[in-house]
Amino acid sequence: MGDKSNLDRRDFIRATAAVAATSMLNNSTFAEITNVPRENWSGTYHFHTNKVFQPRTAADVAAAIGSVKEVRALGTRHSFNGIADSTSAQISTLGLKDVQVNAAEHTVKAGGGIRLGELAEIIDKQGWALHNLPSLPHISLAGCISTATHGSGVKNGNISTAIREVEFVSADGKLHTLSRAKDADTFPGAVVALGALGVITNLTVDLHPRFDVAQSVYENLSFDQLQHNLVDIMGAAYSVSLFTHWQNNRADQVWIKRRVENGENHQLPEMFYGATLAKKKLHPAGPQMDATGCTEQGGSIGPWYERLPHFKLAFTPSSGHEIQTEYFVPLEHGYEAIRAVETLRDRITPHLIVTEVRTIAADDLWMSMAYQRPSLAIHFTWKPEEAAILDVLPAIEAKLAPFHPRPHWAKVFTLPKQEITARYPRLNDFRTLVKKYDPNGEFANDFMKKSVLA
Ligand SMILES: Cc1cc2nc3c(=O)[nH]c(=O)nc-3n(C[C@H](O)[C@H](O)[C@H](O)COP(=O)(O)OP(=O)(O)OC[C@H]3O[C@@H](n4cnc5c(N)ncnc54)[C@H](O)[C@@H]3O)c2cc1C
């Protein structure tokens, strides 16, 4: 597939167009590269093509798209399923990294391939911040917002909610810009677009004045406390995460990330809903894990981008040898959902590294897991034991069924398309939008066909 030795008429036209686009832009190149691993970051998913382009401009992206029959954009390979896969070719976006702050507009225009951590350092130096970050700063900006990647905080939308404009190259090689202000009818479908509309070249992102954060960890929060206090606990600071192994009726750790206003770092109480302030730095998976690569704790103040993620950019995040799963349920049913999953604890724990529970504010992005639902997300970092995980996931999904769970697009799940369809009220509008920009399904890989497209 996508091999030029087998050109039909359509291929010929596309190849000619690609050459024209290339020569028009002064020797632009979209050469294939060979140094991109053919598996995801944790080595648990293997890609089905060896053809990878790494363009540096939108024109090169157009030329690369025009040179093959089917293609998918590839960020930093941190997804756990086939969402970024292709049997034909991938366009690595890591060459698209320009950054331009617009202080008057409170925005930054950034290349889709820049890593969050690199972007954060640049904008912080100029006095700006993003409103939130996920657990790791290692991922690309476009990969992050294409799958509705999120951090925590009852008032914090996922990172995609900060996008003001999306610039992408569609299947016909044309460059489009859709904006929140001018394209209200399509923009909400074009941000969390799962790579289906084309290759994002640039994103314009909302900025906030830079701020500091202090992070503290508490140990052993009884699940009983969640029955009446879940929203208060999760809303006790700017960003709060619970970590559990599902045993002993408790969250083993509570990570609290407080915004520090005016340099005031208040002493935290020794107790938090019965949990005790940790005396040493901890890895979320437990005290047996080396916490060197984790962001600083103990209430020390640091810049937003060195506290909101759990892991430091210069270290391997999480465990490195893992598979991930995550389900989003309405926050109002959060406690019941946690208790429902807990009933499976003895099936879950043997295969689990750790579970994290977070909150995400509702948004209006059609394919966001938090679409019009203030959400509680129950995440599983699994040991790399695929067969056991695929065995237990249907049981977890059945337990969560009363709460209409939406799986994280970038993680492993087994929910069938008909159930996913029922959980996304604007899915048909999204499919129509995909048809508009990709009428021949050139960005439609097996994952999209199996779980999303009609
Ligand atoms: C250790 C670890 C921790 C994580 N923590 C979190 C977390 O805290 N919160 C959370 O929500 N998720 C988390 N994730 C999941 C991660 O955020 C998503 O997998 C994210 O999509 C990865 O971005 P990426 O750059 O690696 O994209 P890839 O995995 O390479 O691609 C993901 C999708 O984005 C598309 N895409 C990438 N670039 C472009 C582009 N330029 N144009 C169009 N489409 C594009 C791809 O086609 C694909 O569909 C974590 C993952 C790991 C490995």
Side-chain angles (χ1 to χ4, degrees):
M1 206 177 280
D3 188 337
K4 289 217 199 76
S5 62
N6 210 2
L7 287 179
D8 58 18
R9 191 171 164 274
R10 191 171 152 277
D11 289 324
F12 177 74
I13 293 167
R14 292 170 59 83
T16 312
V19 171
T22 307
S23 53
M24 234 166 42
L25 284 133
N26 295 334
N27 303 326
S28 62
T29 54
F30 56 97
E32 278 183 58
I33 52 170
T34 51
N35 58 351
V36 181
R38 298 294 67 224
E39 56 191 22
N40 71 341
W41 161 83
S42 61
T44 53
Y45 184 91
H46 297 270
F47 297 125
H48 291 87
T49 179
N50 289 323
K51 194 187 272 288
V52 184
F53 302 108
Q54 197 170 89
R56 295 187 177 277
T57 65
D60 289 350
V61 170
I65 292 172
S67 73
V68 286
K69 273 188 174 169
E70 292 172 3
V71 68
R72 288 290 283 182
L74 181 67
T76 53
R77 302 178 293 105
H78 282 81
S79 297
F80 290 89
N81 56 32
I83 192 166
D85 199 4
S86 172
T87 50
S88 171
Q90 290 170 316
I91 294 182
S92 163
T93 61
L94 303 190
L96 303 164
K97 310 176 66 150
D98 288 347
V99 176
Q100 235 179 331
V101 170
N102 183 335
E105 292 288 328
H106 291 209
T107 57
V108 59
K109 185 172 180 182
I114 192 161
R115 295 192 299 163
L116 294 181
E118 294 169 314
L119 175 64
E121 284 184 26
I122 294 171
I123 62 174
D124 184 78
K125 282 199 183 89
Q126 299 183 46
W128 300 102
L130 304 180
H131 76 288
N132 207 358
L133 286 169
S135 71
L136 78 174
H138 305 66
I139 59 176
S140 76
L141 177 62
C144 165
I145 64 96
S146 294
T147 63
T149 290
H150 63 97
S152 194
V154 288
K155 295 187 183 151
N156 294 328
N158 61 40
I159 321 304
S160 314
T161 60
I163 302 304
R164 211 181 276 195
E165 280 185 358
V166 187
E167 179 195 284
F168 63 97
V169 181
S170 56
D172 59 5
K174 290 200 177 122
L175 189 65
H176 307 269
T177 302
L178 294 178
S179 90
R180 194 195 288 153
K182 295 190 199 124
D183 303 288
D185 51 338
T186 49
F187 180 78
V191 183
V192 183
L194 314 175
L197 301 188
V199 177
I200 296 168
T201 42
N202 280 298
L203 290 155
T204 304
V205 192
D206 289 333
L207 292 180
H208 301 265
R210 71 164 304 289
F211 56 94
D212 286 327
V213 173
Q215 175 165 255
S216 305
V217 175
Y218 284 86
E219 292 184 275
N220 301 328
L221 177 91
S222 168
F223 276 172
D224 296 343
Q225 291 286 352
L226 303 180
Q227 183 168 10
H228 301 297
N229 306 313
L230 178 66
V231 174
D232 289 341
I233 287 171
M234 300 308 288
Y238 191 68
S239 165
V240 174
S241 293
L242 310 180
F243 291 93
T244 181
H245 295 84
W246 297 106
Q247 299 295 326
N248 306 313
N249 186 38
R250 71 182 187 213
D252 305 305
Q253 295 179 24
V254 185
W255 284 39
I256 297 193
K257 299 168 193 269
R258 290 172 294 134
R259 275 182 75 136
V260 177
E261 309 294 351
N262 308 318
E264 285 172 29
N265 193 11
H266 301 291
Q267 197 72 28
L268 276 192
E270 280 297 307
M271 306 295 286
F272 176 78
Y273 291 89
T276 52
L277 197 58
K279 297 283 179 275
K280 61 169 194 169
K281 191 175 171 190
L282 290 170
H283 190 286
Q288 76 288 356
M289 297 275 288
D290 181 3
T292 313
C294 297
T295 48
E296 296 311 321
Q297 304 165 15
S300 76
I301 298 176
W304 58 281
Y305 67 93
E306 289 183 358
R307 295 293 182 279
L308 292 176
H310 305 328
F311 304 106
K312 294 180 180 173
L313 184 60
F315 291 79
T316 299
S318 193
S319 110
H321 303 287
E322 64 197 64
I323 292 173
Q324 296 187 7
T325 295
E326 191 169 28
Y327 300 103
F328 292 64
V329 297
L331 178 56
E332 67 198 271
H333 298 303
Y335 175 70
E336 298 152 85
I338 289 169
R339 284 300 194 194
V341 174
E342 190 198 20
T343 61
L344 296 170
R345 61 186 172 275
D346 292 338
R347 284 185 66 186
I348 291 172
T349 308
H351 310 292
L352 187 74
I353 295 175
V354 72
T355 273
E356 180 174 12
V357 176
R358 287 176 282 187
T359 51
I360 303 93
D363 61 55
D364 282 319
L365 303 172
W366 301 346
M367 299 305 288
S368 161
M369 293 81 79
Y371 177 73
Q372 295 193 341
R373 288 200 328 203
S375 297
L376 181 102
I378 305 177
H379 161 96
F380 304 80
T381 300
W382 301 107
K383 296 172 188 168
E385 298 170 359
E386 188 182 1
I389 292 157
L390 291 176
D391 189 47
V392 76
L393 288 187
I396 297 175
E397 289 165 1
K399 288 287 179 193
L400 290 176
F403 317 110
H404 309 293
R406 293 174 180 156
H408 195 307
W409 293 114
K411 303 181 183 181
V412 176
F413 58 89
T414 60
L415 277 177
K417 181 155 64 181
Q418 79 215 52
E419 287 191 42
I420 292 173
T421 304
R423 284 168 203 167
Y424 284 89
R426 301 298 299 269
L427 183 52
N428 278 333
D429 295 322
F430 178 68
R431 290 170 177 163
T432 303
L433 192 65
V434 172
K435 273 264 175 241
K436 176 177 173 188
Y437 290 103
D438 184 23
N440 300 316
E442 293 169 40
F443 292 99
N445 65 3
D446 288 347
F447 173 91
M448 295 300 292
K449 288 178 200 159
K450 185 172 172 214
S451 298
V452 182
L453 300 175

